[in-house]
Amino acid sequence: MSKRFLCLWCNGNFDTEEQMMKHTHPCPPEFRMINGTITVELSEAIKMKRTRWGRFKDRFFELDFGFGFAFMGLVVMNYFFTRQMNLTFIECVIEGLAWGFAIPRLLK
């Protein structure tokens, strides 16, 4: 697998490290990326991990999953509620729409 070189300053792609070093633009060396790994200086400046996997994990785990869990709890509760009340399919659709319209309004 060949390495990929990228300059984040000027968005230039290079085949070898020598081509990147001979690059005529006055790009700071901190903005070099080799195979998706940024330099230590840049990662400290932007407060992000150096590798793609590290950046992905940071972004993924900073998401708030509480709303999704609450929504799934309501879906399960709605299922058991409609089964207990012996509602028909059309009544279930109407009741589901009512919950769907009411919940965002209540959250505000």
Side-chain angles (χ1 to χ4, degrees):
M1 184 171 143
S2 65
K3 290 186 174 181
R4 292 182 298 172
F5 300 93
L6 176 71
C7 178
L8 296 173
W9 189 266
C10 67
N11 203 19
N13 290 315
F14 305 99
D15 296 326
T16 62
E17 194 167 5
E18 290 80 27
Q19 286 180 348
M20 183 182 270
M21 296 304 236
K22 293 178 185 176
H23 189 52
T24 58
H25 282 265
C27 301
E30 297 87 29
F31 290 93
R32 292 186 190 134
M33 180 184 280
I34 301 171
N35 280 344
T37 304
I38 59 177
T39 60
V40 176
E41 296 87 7
L42 184 61
S43 70
E44 289 174 357
I46 61 175
K47 305 286 190 256
M48 292 182 75
K49 302 283 185 185
R50 293 187 63 211
T51 60
R52 287 184 188 140
W53 179 246
R55 291 190 296 269
F56 171 76
K57 287 191 304 186
D58 279 352
R59 293 286 172 110
F60 183 76
F61 288 119
E62 74 182 12
L63 296 175
D64 182 22
F65 293 106
F67 183 77
F69 290 140
F71 177 75
M72 287 307 298
L74 285 173
V75 168
V76 170
M77 183 183 74
N78 189 29
Y79 170 75
F80 288 119
F81 179 71
T82 55
R83 299 292 290 172
Q84 283 293 96
M85 299 294 286
N86 293 326
L87 300 178
T88 63
F89 177 73
I90 299 297
E91 291 170 335
C92 287
V93 169
I94 292 170
E95 193 259 343
L97 283 173
W99 274 106
F101 291 134
I103 289 170
R105 191 66 160 167
L106 293 174
L107 288 176
K108 286 185 179 182

